[in-house]
Amino acid sequence: MELPNIDSLIGENKHGFRSGYSTTTCLLQLKDAVCDRLDSKENVMIYSLDLSAAFDMLRPDTFKELLNNKISRDLLGVLDAFLTNRRFYVEIDVKTSKIKTIDIGCPQGSVLGPVLFNLYTGAIINKLPSNVLLTSYANDSYVVAHDSTVESLIKKTEECLSVHVKSLEEIGMKVNEGKTEILLFGKNSPNIIINVRGTAVESKDSIKALGLQLDKGLTWKPHVTSLKNKVMKIVGGVRMVRNKLSQQEATSVVTAQLFSVLYYACCVWLTPSMKKKYSALLKDCTIEPCV
């Protein structure tokens, strides 16, 4: 059975569940796209879409259509068998429900599940305008649009959103238009309203993207403020149990619980260009007494 080149089918915009990719690489791609267009003196906007039960909405028949002629017939048959004729029941104490058949969905917790989801949604990028960037991690997706004027950018973004939502719905995904988030970059950028198929969505001063707080001035102040609050809670908890831990145990706890939060995606936000007054907010996050 001939195995396909999965990376060529998925593309460079999907960062989830792939070797050499992560939330950090997704955020770096997102940030680089924004900075490149801002350096070109263009207006730049990001929007994110919220999907409901994304993995559970995969349709096996649609999956076969999308992958037909892209992978071998034998492999497609194996994947179809993996996705179809699945059954389940619910057990509570000693009682069980009737056995039911699941007609749609991609098994979560499996090795194949994330790969199949990437393949299933990989073709969406080909439906969007060529001059926008789509980058995603699992079911979290972000689109960067740019144009010379805010008015033209609003129009372009509305058209892109309409196509994006329609393309997702065509493969069975459920989009919550009301939870769409929009960020127009520029410290003095106006608050704007984007129409998402009849739903008015107002731009924000900052949005959350894969654990980071992106603000319209790229100052990272909202992220640093949020990060400080998280870290101080962790530091306080570690100090409460410090006298019950050995040096090695304390080091392990701090490394696992604190450093993983403090340094998450730091190559994206902790840059030399960050104002000292914002980076100074983290100086109160004293670590030494914990270890």
Side-chain angles (χ1 to χ4, degrees), residues 15-284:
H15 297 255
F17 320 113
R18 301 174 64 187
S19 177
Y21 292 79
S22 65
T23 54
T24 299
T25 61
C26 183
L27 289 164
L28 281 171
Q29 186 182 47
L30 190 64
K31 178 189 172 184
D32 287 348
V34 170
C35 291
D36 283 346
R37 304 324 306 178
L38 289 175
D39 287 344
S40 298
K41 307 302 180 182
E42 290 190 272
N43 295 282
V44 185
M45 187 186 302
I46 283 181
Y47 74 74
S48 65
L49 289 179
D50 180 78
L51 300 179
S52 298
F55 277 65
D56 296 331
M57 303 303 289
L58 185 150
R59 299 175 181 177
D61 290 343
T62 304
F63 181 86
K64 289 176 65 176
E65 293 176 6
L66 292 172
L67 273 296
N68 191 32
N69 298 324
K70 294 183 179 180
I71 61 177
S72 69
R73 185 178 297 273
D74 290 340
L75 179 57
L76 189 59
V78 171
L79 297 180
D80 183 55
F82 178 74
L83 292 170
T84 57
N85 297 319
R86 295 187 296 119
R87 298 182 178 184
F88 77 98
Y89 68 90
V90 178
E91 180 176 341
I92 301 178
D93 294 330
V94 295
K95 296 182 179 181
T96 59
S97 68
K98 293 181 179 180
I99 296 177
K100 301 287 185 179
T101 300
I102 303 177
D103 297 323
I104 62 174
C106 182
Q108 297 188 49
S110 63
V111 174
L112 269 180
V115 177
L116 298 187
F117 182 79
N118 276 346
L119 289 171
Y120 190 67
T121 57
I124 294 295
I125 191 172
N126 298 323
K127 303 290 184 67
L128 303 184
S130 59
N131 57 351
V132 303
L133 168 76
L134 167 65
T135 185
S136 62
Y137 187 93
N139 62 328
D140 293 313
S141 58
Y142 306 90
V143 170
V144 180
H146 56 91
D147 214 312
S148 56
T149 67
V150 174
E151 292 74 17
S152 57
L153 179 56
I154 291 174
K155 182 179 179 181
K156 175 188 286 188
T157 304
E158 287 181 339
E159 293 173 350
C160 184
L161 265 166
S162 180
V163 173
H164 198 171
V165 173
K166 181 180 179 181
S167 299
L168 287 168
E169 289 183 341
E170 285 176 349
I171 62 172
M173 296 290 107
K174 173 61 178 174
V175 180
N176 296 317
E177 290 95 336
K179 292 187 177 180
T180 302
E181 290 193 316
I182 298 168
L183 181 64
L184 177 63
F185 287 92
K187 293 181 180 179
N188 300 316
S189 61
N191 290 329
I192 61 171
I193 294 178
I194 297 291
N195 186 291
V196 187
R197 300 202 313 175
T199 300
V201 180
E202 186 175 1
S203 63
K204 298 183 176 181
D205 291 336
S206 66
I207 64 173
K208 191 172 183 179
L210 299 175
L212 296 191
Q213 288 284 346
L214 290 174
D215 63 280
K216 63 182 185 179
L218 281 180
T219 65
W220 301 107
K221 180 182 178 181
H223 177 68
V224 172
T225 302
S226 174
L227 181 61
K228 177 183 176 180
N229 293 334
K230 291 179 183 178
V231 170
M232 291 303 291
K233 289 180 180 179
I234 297 172
V235 169
V238 174
R239 284 174 175 168
M240 290 178 64
V241 298
R242 175 62 186 90
N243 61 348
K244 301 182 183 298
L245 303 175
S246 65
Q247 181 66 36
Q248 183 177 357
E249 289 171 338
T251 301
S252 297
V253 169
V254 169
T255 301
Q257 301 299 323
L258 194 148
F259 286 170
S260 60
V261 174
L262 184 60
Y263 297 128
Y264 169 68
C266 60
C267 59
V268 179
W269 59 271
L270 190 57
T271 62
S273 61
M274 178 186 287
K275 291 185 177 181
K276 291 182 179 180
K277 64 179 181 180
Y278 297 144
S279 58
L281 291 174
L282 294 176
K283 289 185 177 180
D284 292 335

